[in-house]
Each structure stands twice: as C-alpha cells, then as structure tokens.
C-alpha cells in the first residue's frame, strides 16, 4: 500500500528530506575528495553516511525491523570509522 506525500506524518517527511539532502551531500563531497579538490571532505561525508543510515532505519522501522537493526549497526560502524579516520589524519 503506497501513501501519498500529503498523507504521511510530518516527522516522516522531515526524515525523508534530511536523508535525501545527506545522500546528495555525501555524493558531492565524495567526488570532491576523489578528485582532490577538498582534501578533508572525508571528515564530513563519513558522518553524513551514518546520518543517512539512521534515517533509513527510522523509515524502515515499521516495515522491516531486521533491516532497521542492520541500518543502526551499520550507522554505528560508520561513526566509529569516521572517528578513527578523523584522528588518524
């Protein structure tokens, strides 16, 4: 069953918009990092990947708890990796 955008709750709309913006930012910052335009972009897009995974876990919570738990675990792993990368560089 598919719901219309106007029928979805406000919090779900906000999380969806945050997820889309974070995903676009990750792609742009990753391209900047790959082409050596901005050398420290990894310090920003790594935590944004974790935010994207947390948004995904919120959106999947009612549909599939296994996917939501996996997304939370992945987000925790990404945050740990971003902390390690931050302190190594």
């Amino acid at each position: 069953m598919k719901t219309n955008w106007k029928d979805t709750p406000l919090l779900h709309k906000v999380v969806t918009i945050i997820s889309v913006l974070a995903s676009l930012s990750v792609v742009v910052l990753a391209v900047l990092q790959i082409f050596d335009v901005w050398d420290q972009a990894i310090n920003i897009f790594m935590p944004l990947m974790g935010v994207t995974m947390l948004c995904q876990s919120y959106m999947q919570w009612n549909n599939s708890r296994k996917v939501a738990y996996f997304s939370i675990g992945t987000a925790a792993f990404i945050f740990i990796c971003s902390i390690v990368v931050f302190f190594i560089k």
Side-chain angles (χ1 to χ4, degrees):
M1 185 171 130
K2 201 169 190 178
T3 59
N4 290 334
W5 179 255
K6 63 182 178 182
D7 296 335
T8 58
L10 180 64
L11 185 59
H12 190 74
K13 290 178 186 178
V14 170
V15 170
T16 302
I17 291 170
I18 290 171
S19 178
V20 168
L21 291 175
S23 296
L24 289 173
S25 299
V26 165
V27 171
V28 169
L29 290 170
V31 168
L32 291 176
Q33 178 74 34
I34 289 171
F35 291 119
D36 287 331
V37 175
W38 185 20
D39 193 35
Q40 298 298 318
I42 193 167
N43 294 331
I44 296 174
F45 76 78
M46 286 285 286
L48 281 176
M49 286 173 37
V51 169
T52 304
M53 294 305 293
L54 288 177
C55 291
Q56 179 183 351
S57 68
Y58 172 77
M59 291 188 284
Q60 292 293 327
W61 189 257
N62 292 329
N63 298 335
S64 177
R65 291 279 169 101
K66 291 180 182 178
V67 173
Y69 286 134
F70 182 76
S71 296
I72 291 171
T74 306
F77 179 73
I78 289 171
F79 285 131
I80 290 169
C81 288
S82 67
I83 290 170
V84 169
V85 167
F86 179 75
F87 285 116
I88 287 177
K89 281 197 162 196

